[in-house]
Amino acid sequence: GEDFVKHILVNGLNCCHAVCGFHYRFGYGGQADAEDLRRICSAYNIQVTVIDPVLLDETVVSASAIRLLVQNGDM
């Protein structure tokens, strides 16, 4: 996670603010999460906004849920 922030967000993109979903995973093998992103980015003065889950009929809206609905023809 630290390498991703340093090499991609800081050195590669000169990032000053990152936005991610509440369930975001990154770094080698997805070992880091949104709270890790917040912690690591704070050392580089990068602000982080974590988007809370969006619910529809008590179900979290996610790419996986949308793919399943589309596969089932539920548009």
Side-chain angles (χ1 to χ4, degrees), residues 13-53:
L13 299 172
N14 195 29
C15 180
C16 62
H17 192 131
V19 179
C20 68
F22 71 100
H23 63 288
Y24 178 62
R25 307 294 300 183
F26 69 104
Y28 181 76
Q31 294 177 352
D33 63 13
E35 288 308 312
D36 293 319
L37 182 65
R38 235 181 251 220
R39 179 183 50 75
I40 297 166
C41 282
S42 70
Y44 295 97
N45 275 346
I46 298 172
Q47 294 180 338
V48 174
T49 299
V50 178
I51 304 299
D52 292 330

